[in-house]
């Protein structure tokens, strides 16, 4: 929606109209995807500040509008024209682009609360959503935190303490070391005692950040270093723990909902096994793997844990499930989960509405027997990233064209961007959460395939090709999945869709038809002269007598089929063509002698200097992009000729980092 020349208040009004409902068009005949009815007699809050950005801020604003609640958006200076800013009734800038100076800036956010008179704060996920100090500061100001109490945040936010509490609550836990690991050598000793493989993870972590799998002593030392650095960068807490890594598990989580009166429910499960670098890519609800008894056991244990910490709000208990349906507590996220929409689809509950009700002190409306599994829902996380690089390295740029497939039935798109939005290095590269719903899993998958095919994204590289390959792969369709799905299915990395002969013919025919359509359009618009060709088309004869623009021509058919010839054509002006002969031929770059940045990001560390000799596979530098650290290594043994970067610098994709002799 164009907004040039409009006042901020008018912009917000237009965006409010555009995003007034979750689904602008829907021809669903199944149960509602989420609760669209709100009891206006229940008084909650007059004004809520959303301490977040992007799609989750927009998601919270939608429910607030439904409930008649005024909203306040906070934003960094680069987000001043973001969709969530325009949707909110008020907006306050809280600092420059880096998250530490804006969305994590508690002082600035507290000032925004005071200046706007917000009575409550919804933190979304990430940023300050699980920060107990932020919740304490809100309580001191008499402002309601829409989430659990601080003691629950603290207990479940620390993976070491949460594991001990889970054990005491008779929740199945993974074998491991329950203390804080202080040094790399201590990590090696603990890993040897537990037995490889092990998982090294940030104590205060989440979202796949600060996690590394180690299969030997050297990988443990390296994992300790990277995990502690990522943990410090993402959470301000570099403490680590180590536990046994369960090879080839499923990642299945239970959504819980509890009030301040001792009532707690489990809202079924979500299957989140399709991951890359410990971050989820495709999720679904329910899981194809669980039977009713296992589902019930997991749900009951999740509720036991919630009650053990007097939890109140929406939260998620994550489990690892092995091939024999043994399940083990992984962690509890004391916030709204990214993938919450699929739970809303199969239960009909608006989880944001429930969080707001609970925060105000209302009891839950529902009992456990009221919670259905109605249909099937699938969520694909659409990212601005290159799926051909490690299943997804971040991509930045401006969305030159953007069109969501919301015209399709049973499709929901949670996004916080629009055509013209910038995807920057400062924030998570998620474009949207694409959700489809059906009476059966097959129906939901078919709808997801259609939705991905109808999603238009231009200006940034995106992962839709990978998402489509996943949801149409026979293993995924059969439910034969685990957290190792991607490396097992694509051991050499994702290479894109491999065309069959019939599909290739279809594409060639389509391309030919498009070419003809383009030529006809040019004739109508530009008045170009037409070329008329007629004759006897005998492809069995080597001679083709044709009449071209009323002139007889004889063509010889040198090979068959002649129309499958491929040409590489450059169209130049007459002057450019004359000068082109003087241009030197570009020689392909020798990538064995240089190291370029594979993504935009920040240089965290440089491990070499000019004159050093490096071995094949030795780390040269570390690049951080979207809060994930990536180690770049030498492809051969060589001497370092020159270093073109230093720690703290921002680099772009393709920037020269190091030259080798």
């Amino acid at each position: 929606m164009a907004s040039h020349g409009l006042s901020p208040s008018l912009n917000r009004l237009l965006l409010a109209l555009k995003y007034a409902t979750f689904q602008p068009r829907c021809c669903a005949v199944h149960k509602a995807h989420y609760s669209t009815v709100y009891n206006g007699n229940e008084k909650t809050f007059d004004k809520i500040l959303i301490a977040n950005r992007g799609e989750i801020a927009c998601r919270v604003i939608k429910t607030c509008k439904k409930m008649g609640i005024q909203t306040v958006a906070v934003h960094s200076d680069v987000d001043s024209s973001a969709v969530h800013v325009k949707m909110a009734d008020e907006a306050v800038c809280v600092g420059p682009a880096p998250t530490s100076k804006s969305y994590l800036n508690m002082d600035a956010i507290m000032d925004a609360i005071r200046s706007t008179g917000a009575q409550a704060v919804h933190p979304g996920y990430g940023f300050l959503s699980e920060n107990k100090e932020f919740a304490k500061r809100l309580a001191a100001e008499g402002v309601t935190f829409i989430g659990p109490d601080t003691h629950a945040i603290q207990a479940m936010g620390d993976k070491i303490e949460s594991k001990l509490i889970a054990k005491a609550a008779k929740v199945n836990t993974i074998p491991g070391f329950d203390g804080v690991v202080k040094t790399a050598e201590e990590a090696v000793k603990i890993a040897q005692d537990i037995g490889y493989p092990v998982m090294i993870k940030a104590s205060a972590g989440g979202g796949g950040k600060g996690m590394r799998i180690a299969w030997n002593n050297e990988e443990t030392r390296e994992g300790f270093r990277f995990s502690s650095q990522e943990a410090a960068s993402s959470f301000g807490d570099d403490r680590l723990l180590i536990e046994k890594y369960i090879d080839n598990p499923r990642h299945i989580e239970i959504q819980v909902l509890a009030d301040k009166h001792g009532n707690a429910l489990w809202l079924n499960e979500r299957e989140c096994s399709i991951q890359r670098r410990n971050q989820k890519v495709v999720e679904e609800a329910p899981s194809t793997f669980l039977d009713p008894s296992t589902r019930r056991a997991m749900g009951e244990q999740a509720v036991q844990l919630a009650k053990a910490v007097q939890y109140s709000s929406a939260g998620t208990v994550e489990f690892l499930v092995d091939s024999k349906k043994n399940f083990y507590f992984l962690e509890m996220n004391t916030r709204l989960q990214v993938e919450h929409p699929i739970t809303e689809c199969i239960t009909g509950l608006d989880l944001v509405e429930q969080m707001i009700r609970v925060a105000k002190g209302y009891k839950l409306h529902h009992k456990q027997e009221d919670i259905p599994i109605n249909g099937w829902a699938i969520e694909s996380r659409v990212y601005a990233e290159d799926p051909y690089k490690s299943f997804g390295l971040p991509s930045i740029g401006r969305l030159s064209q953007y069109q969501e497939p919301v015209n399709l039935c049973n499709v929901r798109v949670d996004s916080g961007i629009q055509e013209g939005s910038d995807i920057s290095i400062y924030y998570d590269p998620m474009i949207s959460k694409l959700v489809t719903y059906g009476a059966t899993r097959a129906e939901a998958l078919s709808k997801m395939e259609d939705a991905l095919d109808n999603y238009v994204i231009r200006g940034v590289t995106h992962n839709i090709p990978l998402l489509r390959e996943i949801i149409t792969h026979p293993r995924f369709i059969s439910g034969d999945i685990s957290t190792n799905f991607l490396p097992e299915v694509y051991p050499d990395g994702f290479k894109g869709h491999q065309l069959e002969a019939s599909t290739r013919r279809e594409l060639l025919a389509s391309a030919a038809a498009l070419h003809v359509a383009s030529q006809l359009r040019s004739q109508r618009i530009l008045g170009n002269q037409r070329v008329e060709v007629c004759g006897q088309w005998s492809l069995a004869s080597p001679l083709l007598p044709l009449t071209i623009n009323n002139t007889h021509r004889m063509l010889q058919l040198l090979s068959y089929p002649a129309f499958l010839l491929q040409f590489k054509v450059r169209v130049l002006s007459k002057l450019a063509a004359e000068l082109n002969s003087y241009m030197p031929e570009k020689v392909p770059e020798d990538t064995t002698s240089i190291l370029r940045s594979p993504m935009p990001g920040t240089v965290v560390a440089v491990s070499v200097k000019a004159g050093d000799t490096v071995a094949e596979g030795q780390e040269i530098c570390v690049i951080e992009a979207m809060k994930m650290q990536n180690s770049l290594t030498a492809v051969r043994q060589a001497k370092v000729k020159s270093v073109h970067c230093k720690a703290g610098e921002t680099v772009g994709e393709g920037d020269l980092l190091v030259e080798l002799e």
Side-chain angles (χ1 to χ4, degrees), residues 2 16 30 79 129 136 247 346 377 381 398 411 413 424 426 467 470 477 520 529-530 659:
H30 309 297
D79 271 348
S129 62
K136 287 179 180 178
D247 195 14
I346 67 167
R381 298 194 188 188
R398 175 166 294 177
V411 172
V413 183
S424 74
Y426 298 108
L467 294 172
I470 292 171
I477 293 172
L520 292 173
Q529 292 185 349
R530 293 182 298 170
E659 289 183 277

Side-chain angles (χ1 to χ4, degrees), residues 159-160 163 174-203 210 212-214 216-217 219-221 223-225 227 239-245:
K159 286 186 171 60
I160 297 170
K163 190 173 180 181
I174 301 171
F177 179 70
D178 295 330
V180 177
V181 185
K182 298 177 181 177
T183 66
E185 293 310 312
E186 183 183 1
V188 169
K189 183 179 184 305
I190 292 169
Q192 291 173 337
D193 292 341
I194 295 173
Y196 287 110
V198 297
M199 173 70 82
I200 303 168
K201 59 186 0 178
S203 176
R212 288 291 190 282
I213 300 167
N216 54 51
N217 293 347
E219 289 184 3
T220 299
R221 293 186 183 93
F224 179 89
R225 180 165 66 92
S227 292
R239 294 176 304 146
L240 302 176
L241 60 87
I242 297 179
E243 62 190 19
K244 180 70 176 177
Y245 174 65

Side-chain angles (χ1 to χ4, degrees), residues 369-641:
E369 57 268 23
D370 299 331
I371 306 302
I373 297 181
N374 191 289
W376 212 284
I378 298 174
E379 174 178 291
S380 293
R381 298 194 188 188
V382 181
Y383 283 104
E385 58 185 20
D386 188 346
Y388 305 101
K389 296 179 179 178
S390 301
F391 300 113
L393 292 183
S395 171
I396 62 172
R398 175 166 294 177
L399 292 167
S400 58
Q401 192 173 3
Y402 184 72
Q403 183 176 315
E404 296 173 348
V406 291
N407 60 304
L408 301 177
C409 303
N410 290 344
V411 172
R412 168 177 170 177
V413 183
D414 282 17
S415 68
I417 47 87
Q418 60 187 351
E419 194 163 285
S421 293
D422 285 312
I423 307 296
S424 74
I425 66 170
Y426 298 108
Y427 311 118
D428 189 275
M430 182 185 285
I431 291 174
S432 73
K433 299 182 306 195
L434 178 63
V435 180
T436 58
Y437 173 79
T440 64
R441 185 172 186 260
E443 188 179 321
L445 281 173
S446 176
K447 186 60 62 177
M448 178 61 72
E449 187 175 350
D450 288 344
L452 290 168
D453 287 346
N454 282 271
Y455 211 140
V456 178
I457 303 173
R458 303 285 187 271
V460 296
T461 305
H462 55 78
N463 68 332
I464 284 180
L466 175 60
L467 294 172
R468 197 183 188 287
E469 285 298 297
I470 292 171
I471 62 108
T472 58
H473 194 279
R475 270 190 59 179
F476 183 84
I477 293 172
S478 69
D480 177 20
I481 60 176
S482 73
T483 55
N484 293 325
F485 177 86
L486 287 178
E488 287 176 357
V489 172
Y490 308 105
D492 299 322
F494 179 62
K495 306 297 183 184
H497 182 70
Q498 304 304 307
L499 293 177
E500 297 176 351
S502 59
T503 310
R504 185 172 182 273
R505 286 194 297 272
E506 290 177 5
L507 288 176
L508 286 170
S510 299
L514 286 172
H515 174 72
V516 171
S518 176
Q519 294 298 307
L520 292 173
R521 180 175 180 270
S522 296
Q523 292 170 15
R524 291 194 302 271
I525 296 174
L526 302 177
N528 289 350
Q529 292 185 349
R530 293 182 298 170
V531 176
E532 295 182 354
V533 180
C534 58
Q536 297 298 316
W537 300 91
S538 175
L539 298 181
S541 170
L543 299 176
L544 289 178
L546 300 175
T547 300
I548 304 175
N549 284 348
N550 298 319
T551 302
H552 178 73
R553 303 288 190 191
M554 180 63 73
L555 276 65
Q556 289 197 19
L557 184 59
L558 299 180
S559 63
Y560 178 82
F563 48 84
L564 290 183
L565 294 175
Q566 295 184 355
F567 298 94
K568 185 175 180 181
V569 179
R570 295 180 66 197
V571 180
L572 304 173
S573 67
K574 183 178 180 181
L575 177 60
E578 292 172 354
L579 296 175
N580 189 57
S581 61
Y582 299 101
M583 297 296 292
E585 190 76 24
K586 185 176 181 180
V587 180
E589 193 170 41
D590 181 8
T591 56
T592 63
S593 300
I594 59 171
L595 179 66
R596 293 190 181 276
S597 178
M599 74 206 85
T602 302
V603 180
V604 174
V606 180
S607 306
V608 299
K609 61 182 183 299
D612 288 353
T613 298
V614 294
E616 180 181 348
Q618 180 179 334
E619 179 182 289
I620 291 180
C621 64
V622 178
I623 302 293
E624 182 177 272
M626 277 73 171
K627 300 299 179 184
M628 294 295 287
Q629 296 196 353
N630 303 273
S631 175
L632 306 183
T633 60
V635 297
R636 63 181 177 87
Q637 181 175 334
K639 189 175 182 180
V640 177
K641 180 180 179 182

